[in-house]
Amino acid sequence: GAGVSQSPRYKVAKRGQDVALRCDPISGHVSLFWYQQALGQGPEFLTYFQNEAQLDKSGLPSDRFFAERPEGSVSTLKIQRTQQEDSTVYLCASSPLRGTGGEQYFGPGTRLTVT
Amino acid sequence: AQSVTQPDIHITVSEGASLELRCNYSYGATPYLFWYVQSPGQGLQLLLKYFSGDTLVQGIKGFEAEFKRSQSSFNLRKPSVHWSDAAEYFCAVGAGDNAGKSTFGDGTTLTVKP
């Protein structure tokens, strides 16, 4: 079946623009996670949803970052007034189990470049 | 706070040789431990996981890992490496179904010599 998909795969934004990154998880997966992955580093946690509830947003770097999953399926990560330091790869993952109790299925990522 | 250390940034092994990738974690309770692999242009894929029970766990592609609580380690091993195993490997720790945050190490890049 289909895996986790993310769109767009690449996004170039001018500094100060708002961007929206989309994640389509595997159908029926309860948990959804967002990460940043800088070059040469491991994924860094941003936020976690269990169905439509955002249970942990401790990793969001500033109040310019906002995530939602209104119907418990598709999720959007929005970044307002983008800055150059926001340039990195954003990963989405979903899991059939709650929390970190199960395998996370990762999407291919969205590479954001802020110019 | 939970943390993961992968001491080896880059490892090179010959095809057919054995492999061990090190992972040390810090976590206050019984951890949920994972190894993921990321090939160029591919998403992360789970190799294996440990929650409880037998401390030696088997994964896909012939990989295994051993949980050693006394050493806070969860090292990944493979008896005979194939050229297709060249990739980046990440160890991760989580808190199970009560929390959503996983912490990943910075990865070990594996190069396989012919």
Side-chain angles (χ1 to χ4, degrees), chain A residues 28-88:
Chain A
H29 276 197
V30 169
S31 295
L32 187 144
F33 310 83
W34 283 99
Y35 296 89
Q36 286 178 326
Q37 187 177 21
L39 191 63
Q41 296 184 16
E44 189 168 346
F45 173 81
L46 293 177
T47 188
Y48 162 64
F49 289 87
Q50 186 178 115
N51 297 308
E52 69 279 2
Q54 188 176 20
L55 298 186
D56 189 339
K57 54 182 181 179
S58 63
L60 295 176
S62 77
D63 58 8
R64 296 186 295 104
F65 287 71
F66 172 75
E68 59 183 7
R69 193 186 186 200
E71 297 178 358
S73 55
V74 171
S75 178
T76 305
L77 177 67
K78 297 179 179 177
I79 309 172
Q80 298 176 326
R81 305 181 303 281
T82 51
Q83 304 294 316
Q84 284 196 317
E85 61 262 28
D86 301 334
S87 297
T88 190

Side-chain angles (χ1 to χ4, degrees), chain B residues 29-52:
Chain B
T30 300
Y32 286 63
L33 294 162
F34 307 82
W35 274 99
Y36 285 85
V37 60
Q38 187 174 35
S39 299
Q42 305 290 317
L44 282 88
Q45 180 185 20
L46 182 72
L47 287 175
L48 47 78
K49 60 190 177 188
Y50 170 79
F51 295 162
S52 63

Side-chain angles (χ1 to χ4, degrees), chain B residues 82-101:
Chain B
H82 188 261
W83 64 266
S84 61
D85 293 324
E88 190 153 21
Y89 292 80
F90 294 96
C91 180
V93 63
D97 59 3
N98 292 321
K101 181 177 180 178

Side-chain angles (χ1 to χ4, degrees), chain B residues 6-58:
Chain B
Q6 294 182 246
D8 304 305
I9 296 173
H10 195 176
I11 282 184
T12 300
V13 299
S14 297
E15 191 168 15
S18 64
L19 171 70
E20 182 169 28
L21 302 182
R22 295 183 291 164
C23 171
N24 293 98
Y25 69 90
S26 174
Y27 185 68
T30 300
Y32 286 63
L33 294 162
F34 307 82
W35 274 99
Y36 285 85
V37 60
Q38 187 174 35
S39 299
Q42 305 290 317
L44 282 88
Q45 180 185 20
L46 182 72
L47 287 175
L48 47 78
K49 60 190 177 188
Y50 170 79
F51 295 162
S52 63
D54 193 347
T55 56
L56 184 64
V57 293
Q58 303 297 320

Side-chain angles (χ1 to χ4, degrees), chain A residues 6-23:
Chain A
Q6 293 185 245
S7 60
R9 292 292 312 278
Y10 303 91
K11 176 69 178 177
V12 179
K14 291 191 188 310
R15 192 164 69 93
Q17 283 185 332
D18 297 349
V19 299
L21 311 181
R22 177 186 170 107
C23 173

